[in-house]
Amino acid sequence: MIRIGILGYGNLGRGIECAIKHTKDMKLVAVFTRRDPSTVKILTSDAKVENIENVLEYKDDIDVMILCGGSATDLPKQTPEYAKYFNVVDSFDTHANIPEHFEKVDDAAKASHHFGLISAGWDPGMFSLNRVYANAVLPTGADYTFWGKGVSQGHSDAIRRIEGVVDARQYTVPVEAALEAVRSGSNPELTTRQKHTRECYVVAKEGADKARIENEINTMPNYFADYDTTVHFISMEEMKKNHSKLPHGGFVIRTGKTGWDNENNHVIEYSLKLDSNPEFTASVIVAYSRAVYRMRKEGKIGAHTVFDVPPAYLLDMSAEEMRAHLL
Amino acid sequence: MIRIGILGYGNLGRGIECAIKHTKDMKLVAVFTRRDPSTVKILTSDAKVENIENVLEYKDDIDVMILCGGSATDLPKQTPEYAKYFNVVDSFDTHANIPEHFEKVDDAAKASHHFGLISAGWDPGMFSLNRVYANAVLPTGADYTFWGKGVSQGHSDAIRRIEGVVDARQYTVPVEAALEAVRSGSNPELTTRQKHTRECYVVAKEGADKARIENEINTMPNYFADYDTTVHFISMEEMKKNHSKLPHGGFVIRTGKTGWDNENNHVIEYSLKLDSNPEFTASVIVAYSRAVYRMRKEGKIGAHTVFDVPPAYLLDMSAEEMRAHLL
């Protein structure tokens, strides 16, 4: 059994716990939290809840530590720090800072002879893999990524910070006409506005100036100003009833050409339609935790990404079975 | 430069030649043929055409030999045979015989310290990879593969063998309603007839009994009897004008559940829409030839499949670049 630790018990940590339940080769040893452990109730009856301060006591009892903090402030510190003591996996998703994060984790993991896998999830993660495979197969071509329909937590939070807003949920929606243009192989140049729209559901304080809130959303730089945005004011009851889940998904499409004179067109499309963004992300991370365990056993150390992992390492299945049934 | 040999110069061999032209790190050294080399014209001006009998003279001049024969009779002999002298790649696609083929190639390649990669292409190949990734991420779920719309050469050949048929082209077409049922997550059990239809375009000899030909097609066991089949009789001119290409494609879909009590649904879908089946297959093989070269350089020998290859090995790009731009 591969012994797993979870560090951080929010939506992602709970998703990891659920995914481990459905494996046959993994066991959750403990959840580590910054909160008072007595206030944290987990689902796995035979796993422990510990304060994060006691994590080093588990140095020899955990094969892979899964870091479930956020990419903004937690993971940039946590992943290099815990790579000193554990094999680690994270879902660091600030694309622009991945090279720097990789270097830090690589230094720490190499020094301590641990294995670190960063940026597992679906984007980065499964989407990245599809970009690599499609670029390898169709070197002459163009990549497109669309997100949604799904809840963007960053955009929802941005709305919640507006004066007079009690709660908010923002859906990113890919524009069907843009998807069709890409699939046609016409290789369109698409602006931000042409690719996605943003749909916002907002619960306002009683008496709040809705026109001002709507205007503040529509004109918010980076988040909404470059998009066609729709704002719906709803009641707290409707928010709870219809917008309590965290669905997401998206599309990675590469169109490309082959032939002596590039005379033939091809479309490779990968898409996800997810009821629960955190649970799917967690499922990817758990599969990669299996690979971390196996690659470390082979003697590999340092930082790695999904690009470095042979697909066979992800499955709890023998190579013979895989060749017979999945090839 | 990775030095490539092509053994067999049909549609696939020509596709390989085209794909190599569009790489920056590979060079075609020679094409080997069973025909009289003086009768074979290739596209690459600085590559040689040699009779297959002279192949061993190139033992030290070729890094990867790409075997472009058929899976029925060529590859079961050729891949183990040439693995004695070269690192080899093939696109062996008789799914049921893959385990046996793997063993033979593994024995030959290990004995001679070569690296063999079998069954590269899109199915087996890219479709297989997607089955593995999707199974790893969603262990609780169901797999579906649909093919088409595209030309099945085996089915076209079967029609051509009917008395009175001059030429024929058979398209395999996925049933849209079945695709939708799968995408809905309803986990349908689908019969052969419910998944695909077969469309046949047939040029008959003048005076041939078309009703008999149509009946022979419709009732042909394994090939057509289990499908809803449509037969269109057309002229040779129409055949040449509208049915000379070899398009293909298909869909790999996995639907699965996550959550403590499997309460959330997810759909992972991968699809291909290809103008040229042999050129796309060739493009996959060429990407995997790069991996073969690299893995052999690392000291790895024996038979492998796409499941064993880290995605990063497929691209002519540094790991840093890949992390910065594709992750």
Side-chain angles (χ1 to χ4, degrees):
Chain A
M1 296 293 269
I2 305 171
R3 300 165 302 169
I4 303 286
I6 294 176
L7 200 149
Y9 195 67
N11 283 329
L12 184 60
R14 263 188 298 275
I16 300 284
E17 184 182 20
C18 294
I20 290 170
K21 180 198 181 192
H22 298 292
T23 65
K24 293 196 180 92
D25 59 341
M26 292 184 178
K27 179 188 160 58
L28 177 62
V29 173
V31 168
F32 300 91
T33 174
R34 283 181 282 221
R35 291 175 270 171
D36 173 354
S38 69
T39 67
V40 175
K41 241 191 119 42
I42 65 171
L43 301 162
T44 311
S45 54
D46 59 347
K48 293 194 179 160
V49 183
E50 288 278 3
N51 190 277
I52 197 168
E53 290 186 0
N54 302 326
V55 68
L56 294 193
E57 291 171 20
Y58 286 80
K59 232 178 115 13
D60 301 321
D61 303 320
I62 285 173
D63 297 310
V64 183
M65 182 68 83
I66 300 178
L67 304 174
C68 299
S71 293
T73 54
D74 297 329
L75 298 176
K77 288 182 184 166
Q78 287 179 346
T79 317
E81 173 62 19
Y82 293 108
K84 294 180 189 163
Y85 313 105
F86 298 97
N87 301 310
V88 292
V89 186
D90 77 17
S91 57
F92 184 77
D93 66 0
T94 312
H95 289 259
N97 299 341
I98 284 174
E100 184 192 345
H101 186 62
F102 182 91
E103 291 305 327
K104 284 186 183 162
V105 177
D106 195 44
D107 289 345
K110 276 187 180 145
S112 66
H113 287 77
H114 286 106
F115 190 106
L117 190 121
I118 66 157
S119 302
W122 58 273
D123 193 8
M126 302 313 290
F127 275 17
S128 324
L129 284 169
N130 276 280
R131 287 188 280 263
V132 161
Y133 281 116
N135 273 269
V137 173
L138 295 176
T140 310
D143 291 307
Y144 296 87
T145 303
F146 291 84
W147 294 273
K149 182 181 175 175
V151 173
S152 163
Q153 307 221 54
H155 287 77
S156 301
D157 289 344
I159 300 174
R160 280 190 210 104
R161 286 192 292 265
I162 294 174
E163 165 78 36
V165 170
V166 178
D167 199 3
R169 203 73 83 253
Q170 194 268 184
Y171 295 89
T172 305
V173 185
V175 175
E176 193 57 42
L179 276 166
E180 285 308 319
V182 167
R183 289 180 184 129
S184 76
S186 71
N187 211 348
E189 296 252 359
L190 296 166
T191 62
T192 298
R193 192 177 298 274
Q194 285 170 323
K195 287 183 73 186
H196 298 93
T197 56
R198 299 202 176 275
E199 272 182 35
C200 312
Y201 293 84
V202 179
V203 180
K205 253 185 212 152
E206 222 182 292
D209 180 348
K210 293 183 178 170
R212 177 194 45 85
I213 293 174
E214 185 165 348
N215 184 56
E216 282 193 39
I217 295 172
N218 277 318
T219 57
M220 198 185 295
N222 302 317
Y223 285 87
F224 295 101
D226 298 334
Y227 297 85
D228 290 337
T229 302
T230 323
V231 179
H232 308 274
F233 288 96
I234 60 172
S235 67
M236 193 50 118
E237 290 67 45
E238 197 183 329
M239 177 66 77
K240 282 184 179 151
K241 189 173 158 232
N242 298 332
H243 304 283
S244 63
K245 287 202 165 194
L246 293 170
H248 220 313
F251 304 80
V252 174
I253 304 175
R254 185 168 174 89
T255 57
K257 291 170 180 299
T258 65
W260 194 254
D261 295 313
N262 286 325
E263 60 270 28
N264 285 311
N265 292 301
H266 307 275
V267 183
I268 305 176
E269 177 167 344
Y270 179 79
S271 68
L272 296 174
K273 206 175 138 224
L274 314 174
D275 268 5
S276 166
N277 182 356
E279 285 182 9
F280 188 83
T281 302
S283 298
V284 176
I285 293 173
V286 166
Y288 275 93
S289 302
R290 184 176 288 123
V292 165
Y293 175 77
R294 292 174 175 178
M295 291 175 85
R296 180 64 192 86
K297 272 218 150 178
E298 286 183 352
K300 294 198 170 66
I301 58 167
H304 294 78
T305 73
V306 295
F307 298 156
D308 306 309
V309 176
Y313 285 51
L314 302 173
L315 263 183
D316 179 21
M317 191 187 273
S318 74
E320 289 76 14
E321 247 186 296
M322 236 178 272
R323 286 194 294 268
H325 301 298
L326 294 173
L327 196 64
Chain B
M1 296 291 268
I2 305 172
R3 300 166 302 168
I4 303 286
I6 294 176
L7 199 148
Y9 195 67
N11 284 330
L12 184 60
R14 263 189 299 276
I16 300 283
E17 185 182 19
C18 294
I20 291 171
K21 180 198 181 192
H22 297 291
T23 65
K24 293 195 181 94
D25 59 340
M26 295 185 175
K27 179 189 160 59
L28 178 62
V29 173
V31 168
F32 300 92
T33 174
R34 283 181 284 221
R35 292 176 269 171
D36 172 353
S38 70
T39 67
V40 175
K41 242 192 118 42
I42 66 170
L43 301 162
T44 311
S45 53
D46 59 346
K48 291 192 179 166
V49 182
E50 288 277 2
N51 189 277
I52 198 169
E53 291 186 359
N54 302 325
V55 70
L56 294 193
E57 293 171 18
Y58 286 79
K59 231 177 116 11
D60 301 321
D61 303 320
I62 285 173
D63 297 310
V64 183
M65 182 69 83
I66 300 178
L67 304 173
C68 299
S71 293
T73 55
D74 297 329
L75 298 176
K77 288 181 184 166
Q78 286 178 348
T79 317
E81 173 63 19
Y82 293 107
K84 293 179 191 164
Y85 313 105
F86 298 97
N87 301 310
V88 292
V89 186
D90 77 17
S91 57
F92 185 77
D93 66 0
T94 312
H95 289 259
N97 299 340
I98 284 174
E100 184 192 345
H101 186 61
F102 181 92
E103 291 305 327
K104 283 187 183 163
V105 177
D106 195 45
D107 288 346
K110 275 186 180 146
S112 66
H113 287 78
H114 285 106
F115 190 106
L117 190 123
I118 65 158
S119 302
W122 58 273
D123 194 9
M126 303 313 291
F127 274 17
S128 324
L129 283 170
N130 276 279
R131 286 188 280 264
V132 161
Y133 281 116
N135 273 268
V137 173
L138 295 176
T140 310
D143 291 307
Y144 296 88
T145 302
F146 291 84
W147 295 273
K149 182 182 176 175
V151 174
S152 162
Q153 307 221 53
H155 288 77
S156 301
D157 290 345
I159 301 174
R160 280 189 209 104
R161 287 191 293 265
I162 295 174
E163 165 79 37
V165 171
V166 179
D167 199 2
R169 203 74 81 251
Q170 194 268 184
Y171 295 88
T172 305
V173 185
V175 175
E176 193 57 41
L179 276 166
E180 285 309 319
V182 167
R183 288 180 186 130
S184 77
S186 71
N187 211 348
E189 294 253 0
L190 297 166
T191 62
T192 298
R193 193 177 297 275
Q194 286 170 324
K195 287 184 72 185
H196 298 92
T197 57
R198 300 201 176 274
E199 272 181 36
C200 312
Y201 293 84
V202 180
V203 181
K205 252 184 212 150
E206 220 181 295
D209 181 348
K210 293 181 178 173
R212 176 192 47 83
I213 292 173
E214 185 166 349
N215 185 55
E216 282 193 38
I217 296 172
N218 278 317
T219 57
M220 197 184 292
N222 302 319
Y223 285 89
F224 295 100
D226 298 333
Y227 296 86
D228 289 336
T229 302
T230 323
V231 179
H232 308 274
F233 288 96
I234 60 171
S235 67
M236 193 50 117
E237 290 69 43
E238 197 183 329
M239 178 66 78
K240 282 183 180 154
K241 189 173 158 235
N242 298 331
H243 304 284
S244 62
K245 287 204 166 191
L246 293 169
H248 220 313
F251 304 80
V252 174
I253 304 175
R254 184 167 175 88
T255 57
K257 291 170 180 301
T258 65
W260 194 253
D261 295 312
N262 286 324
E263 60 272 27
N264 285 311
N265 292 302
H266 306 276
V267 182
I268 305 177
E269 176 166 344
Y270 179 79
S271 69
L272 296 173
K273 206 174 137 224
L274 314 174
D275 268 4
S276 166
N277 181 356
E279 285 182 10
F280 188 83
T281 302
S283 299
V284 176
I285 293 174
V286 165
Y288 274 94
S289 302
R290 183 176 290 124
V292 165
Y293 175 78
R294 293 174 176 179
M295 291 174 85
R296 180 64 193 83
K297 272 218 151 178
E298 286 183 352
K300 294 198 170 65
I301 58 167
H304 294 78
T305 73
V306 295
F307 299 156
D308 306 309
V309 177
Y313 284 53
L314 301 174
L315 263 183
D316 179 22
M317 191 187 274
S318 75
E320 290 76 15
E321 247 186 296
M322 236 178 272
R323 285 194 294 270
H325 301 297
L326 294 172
L327 195 64

